[in-house]
Every structure is written in C-alpha cells, then in structure tokens.
Amino acid sequence: MRTAVVAIIGRPSAGKSTFLNTACQEPVSIVSPIPQTTRNAIKGIVNTSFGQLIFIDTPGYHDSEKKLNLRLRNVTESQLEGIDCVLYVIDSTRAPGEEEAKTAALLKALQSKVVVAINKCDLPASRPLPVRQFVSEQLPNIPGNRIFEMSAEKDTGINEVLKALYDISPEGEPVYDEELYTDQDLTFRVCEIIRGEAINRLQDEIPHAVYVEVADIEHRNEGKKLWIRAFLCVERESQKGIVIGKGASKIKEIRTAAVRKLSEIYIQKIDLDLQVKVDKNWRQRDYTLNRLIP
C-alpha cells in the first residue's frame, strides 16, 4: 500500500478543481469558468487498491500585487513544503508564457516528485505538443512516462495520472478512513457550496468580491433538520443590490441552488437562511483575510 500527500499546482482555470472532483467522484472543490475561485488549500482523498492519495487543491498561481492574490500565492507556495508528490496541471488550450514559466519554476527542485497532466485535450483549441516542449525545457528531469494528456471534465486519462502518482508515492498505511473523500468540516463546506453557487451566477468583478460567513448552524428536529444562517458578504453597497437582484430573485436563486447541493451531501433536511451584507473593502483588510485565508 502506498500513501502520499499530493499538491495540485497550476495557473488559474487550468482545471485543478475539476481534476480533484473527478478523481474523488465527489464535489470537493468549487468549479467555475471564472478564474481564481479556490482560496484555500482544499483536501480531497482518493482511495484505490493501490493505496491512498491525499490531494491538496491550491489557488491558481498567477502574477498580481493585490493583497488577496498575494495571500493566495503564499497558500500555494506553502503547500510545496514537505510534500510527497506534485501534480502539475497545465491548460493545453493556452500557449505557455511567462506566468506558466513562473509556475514551473516553483517545481524545479521537486522534479523527482512531479507528474504533469496536460489538461483539456478534448477541446478543439488544445495544443498539447507546445506544452510538452515547454515542460521538457523548463523541467527537463521529468521523464516522458510522467507526462500525460487528459480531460478532467470528460474523465479521460485520469486513471493513468493516478497510477503514475502511486508509482512515485512512498509506502505507508492510509491516513484517513476509506469512506472519506475530504476532511472539510461542516462550516467550511457550507461556505464553499454557497460561494460556488453565487460565483456561477454573478458577473464581472462581483464573484471575486464575495465571501460567505456562516453565523449559525443548528441541528433541529432530533437531528433531522440542519438549520443554517449565512451571509453573502460583498465589498460595496452597490454590489449588495446586484447580489440580491430584482425582487430578491438572485439571492433566492443562489439559496435554492445551495440547498440542492447541500442536500446531495447531507442526509438532513436543509433549511438555509441566506442574506447579503456589506463588509467594506474586505479584500484590503488583514483582519478579514486572516479569517478567510489562515
């Protein structure tokens, strides 16, 4: 049996979260066409006959001097310390450039632990050959049998990637019980599910200006009902009206979708009280960032 902690590294929208959800066969991490939605190091656990892989989904690595984005880069970099393996996910529909080179540079000292997954190979715009050339130039010590083409969304090539990770994983007993696919606690999962449903229903800069605060969670009716009071927090008063929508239509839509998603995970009946409030300029305030990104 082999057991390893695997950091998933890549630029925003490379498909890291999609890979994690497909590999775990459960909705562990937010998936959205909007880049830079992962804000924490999120664990997903894959158990097979070969052993246990504990994946850590990290925020997309990219250039930005904004305070929030600098925090997210630090989250990614910190996950590479003492790691067993790294899965480097590259979007084959985008030509590798300076930002990709900076991402690859994080892995130069870790090449013996890296498996490369060239993602989105099912799309017409996919160009895997330039990506292979980029990897051979930037990370020349990664052999060809650890570079794979896949589609995380279509679930093709995933098993080959997992097998390669097991091959370089250390021997060891599983850390988590086999039935677990994540170690996220209830409050964190509720926040991420609500935020995910909000992100996919909002436009422009609004998704990046949103975070979720869970005020109360109660087990009611002898544990048969899960009552939750939560707030969608935005930066400005003008954003509040957009999130609520005309006749409260948008917040109702987000709430309904979040309840549906939570009901797929938890056996209790979900009762969600969801409201919107303003936390002015929270992305520039250390107090809020320290709570959201420890």
Side-chain angles (χ1 to χ4, degrees):
M1 295 293 289
R2 294 176 181 269
T3 298
V5 178
V6 184
I8 309 176
I9 303 296
R11 292 169 64 199
S13 298
K16 301 181 299 299
S17 297
T18 302
F19 171 86
L20 183 64
N21 292 344
T22 301
C24 294
Q25 299 181 10
E26 296 288 350
V28 177
S29 192
I30 292 175
V31 172
S32 173
I34 297 169
Q36 204 70 352
T37 52
T38 300
R39 291 178 179 166
N40 303 83
I42 295 174
K43 285 184 182 176
I45 304 160
V46 173
N47 293 288
T48 73
S49 58
F50 295 108
Q52 185 173 89
L53 297 176
I54 305 160
F55 286 99
I56 302 177
D57 186 16
T58 63
Y61 198 80
H62 77 131
D63 287 330
S64 174
E65 295 304 315
K66 292 182 179 179
K67 183 173 284 191
L68 173 60
N69 290 328
L70 290 174
R71 288 288 186 104
L72 297 180
R73 284 177 59 176
N74 289 337
V75 170
T76 299
E77 291 169 3
S78 68
Q79 296 307 313
L80 294 173
E81 299 173 7
I83 207 74
D84 294 313
C85 306
V86 178
L87 176 61
Y88 179 21
V89 180
I90 307 178
D91 181 353
S92 65
T93 66
R94 292 183 290 180
E98 183 179 347
E99 194 171 72
E100 195 72 71
K102 289 183 178 180
T103 306
L106 292 174
L107 308 178
K108 285 189 182 296
L110 301 170
Q111 294 181 62
S112 64
K113 300 180 178 183
V114 176
V115 170
V116 178
I118 303 172
N119 192 29
K120 304 185 184 181
C121 289
D122 58 309
L123 299 179
S126 173
R127 299 292 183 271
L129 287 179
V131 177
R132 286 183 176 273
Q133 181 65 28
F134 167 84
V135 173
S136 68
E137 293 172 355
Q138 300 291 322
L139 301 167
N141 295 326
I142 298 178
N145 63 359
R146 280 198 269 124
I147 302 173
F148 298 88
E149 297 178 17
M150 73 171 188
S151 168
E153 184 176 15
K154 302 295 184 184
D155 193 4
T156 57
I158 300 288
N159 288 338
E160 290 78 5
V161 170
L162 294 176
K163 180 60 168 61
L165 288 166
Y166 279 117
D167 287 343
I168 60 172
S169 296
E171 293 183 359
E173 293 301 312
V175 177
Y176 295 96
D177 291 339
E178 286 190 8
E179 67 271 13
L180 290 179
Y181 61 87
T182 184
D183 69 343
Q184 299 168 15
D185 63 27
L186 174 59
T187 299
F188 183 83
R189 294 215 79 185
V190 168
C191 285
E192 285 294 275
I193 286 168
I194 295 172
R195 188 168 70 91
E197 296 305 325
I199 282 171
N200 287 320
R201 287 166 175 79
L202 298 169
Q203 297 177 342
D204 301 323
E205 179 63 11
I206 302 291
H208 298 292
V210 168
Y211 76 87
V212 177
E213 177 183 279
V214 171
D216 295 290
I217 295 182
E218 295 179 9
H219 296 271
R220 296 180 174 179
N221 295 359
E222 299 179 340
K224 296 177 182 178
K225 178 186 284 188
L226 197 61
W227 179 82
I228 304 163
R229 179 191 292 132
F231 294 92
L232 271 169
C233 303
V234 294
E235 286 189 309
R236 298 190 297 275
E237 196 68 37
S238 59
Q239 295 169 340
K240 182 177 179 181
I242 295 172
V243 176
I244 293 173
K246 186 176 181 180
S249 59
K250 184 65 67 176
I251 190 66
K252 288 178 182 177
E253 184 182 339
I254 294 169
R255 177 193 169 278
T256 299
V259 168
R260 186 184 306 116
K261 185 68 67 69
L262 288 165
S263 298
E264 294 173 359
I265 298 172
Y266 299 105
I267 61 174
Q268 300 99 321
K269 178 179 173 60
I270 305 297
D271 186 357
L272 175 60
D273 176 8
L274 184 60
Q275 302 175 40
V276 183
K277 71 176 183 180
V278 177
D279 184 357
K280 190 175 180 181
N281 297 327
W282 67 265
R283 284 185 289 181
Q284 302 302 320
R285 295 171 53 214
D286 288 331
Y287 172 75
T288 302
L289 291 176
N290 289 337
R291 287 193 297 115
L292 297 176
I293 310 170

